[in-house]
């Protein structure tokens, strides 16, 4: 256990000076629906070997019996000091309803990690009932193995909510 925890402490976040580049395009259809596609290259993400080492260390902590040292390591955030994006290359595609339609709005998004080929799908819908009241639902589903960016931690979620506009 000691060696595994030492490795976690050695996992370094890439320098914050690494920049990101985004290349994208959007097209508005005759109906007002908008199709968007973007490619992002993040120098701040982990390389393939760093990502494999990250998941090795996650597995070592997962298998370790709970004790004070594990608690201190996790509580100190050593494992959580990874970049917000595990990979470096991502494709994002979106199709949304006409944003000028105020009664209902929907959006479908697909995010794809080119590094490990994992994906996340988001479906979002919102309906306005009165001028200051609307309800929404957001559903996500991830595809990818247990050692992938989108497949590792959350396989899916459903969020339902109500929006009340004060002003």
């Amino acid at each position: 256990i000691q060696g595994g925890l030492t490795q976690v402490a050695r996992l370094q976040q890439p320098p914050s000076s690494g920049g990101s580049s985004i290349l994208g395009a959007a097209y508005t259809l005759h109906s007002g629906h908008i199709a968007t596609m973007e490619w992002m290259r993040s120098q701040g993400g982990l390389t393939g070997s760093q990502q494999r080492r990250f998941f090795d260390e996650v597995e070592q902590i997962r298998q370790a019996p709970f004790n004070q040292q594990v608690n201190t390591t996790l509580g100190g955030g050593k494992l959580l000091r990874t970049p917000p994006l595990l990979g470096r290359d991502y494709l994002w595609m979106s199709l949304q309803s006409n944003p000028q339609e105020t009664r209902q709005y929907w959006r479908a998004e697909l995010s794809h990690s080119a590094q490990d080929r994992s994906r996340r799908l988001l479906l979002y819908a919102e309906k306005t009932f009165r001028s200051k009241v609307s309800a929404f639902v957001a559903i996500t589903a991830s595809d990818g193995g247990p050692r992938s960016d989108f497949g590792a931690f959350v396989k899916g979620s459903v969020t339902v909510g109500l929006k009340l506009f004060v002003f």
Side-chain angles (χ1 to χ4, degrees):
I1 297 171
Q2 179 63 35
L5 293 176
T6 303
Q7 287 180 350
V8 171
R10 284 195 315 244
L11 182 62
Q12 297 293 318
Q13 181 172 350
S16 61
S17 61
S20 295
S21 302
I22 296 177
L23 177 65
Y27 182 76
T28 302
L29 304 168
H30 217 315
S31 63
H33 294 58
I34 301 171
T36 307
M37 185 182 327
E38 294 179 350
W39 181 269
M40 183 182 71
R41 171 78 174 169
S42 171
Q43 296 299 328
L46 300 177
T47 64
S49 62
Q50 289 171 324
Q51 188 175 355
R52 285 187 294 280
R53 189 169 68 234
F54 170 78
F55 283 115
D56 288 345
E57 293 166 0
V58 168
E59 185 63 23
Q60 286 176 337
I61 286 180
R62 191 184 70 75
Q63 292 178 359
F66 186 78
N67 62 33
Q68 184 58 40
Q69 191 169 8
V70 171
N71 188 31
T72 300
T73 300
L74 293 175
K78 292 184 187 314
L79 180 62
L80 302 177
R81 288 188 190 139
T82 57
L85 300 171
L86 291 180
R88 292 194 171 199
D89 291 294
Y90 293 88
L91 174 66
W92 176 77
M93 296 177 287
S94 171
L95 181 63
Q96 71 176 25
S97 64
N98 185 339
Q100 295 182 13
E101 171 58 49
T102 59
R103 286 286 183 211
Q104 59 187 17
Y105 170 78
W106 58 264
R107 178 174 77 240
E109 298 178 359
L110 180 66
S111 301
H112 172 76
S113 170
Q115 186 164 300
D116 60 25
R117 294 182 166 56
S118 62
R119 295 176 291 280
R120 175 164 294 143
L121 176 66
L122 165 71
L123 302 174
Y124 177 89
E126 184 173 332
K127 175 125 176 93
T128 301
F129 295 103
R130 295 193 177 162
S131 64
K132 296 186 184 234
V133 178
S134 66
F136 68 91
V137 62
I139 301 169
T140 64
S142 297
D143 177 40
R147 297 172 63 91
S148 67
D149 196 344
F150 292 119
F153 301 108
V154 178
K155 293 294 184 188
S157 68
V158 176
T159 304
V160 178
L162 187 66
K163 291 182 180 181
L164 302 173
F165 298 91
V166 179
F167 301 103

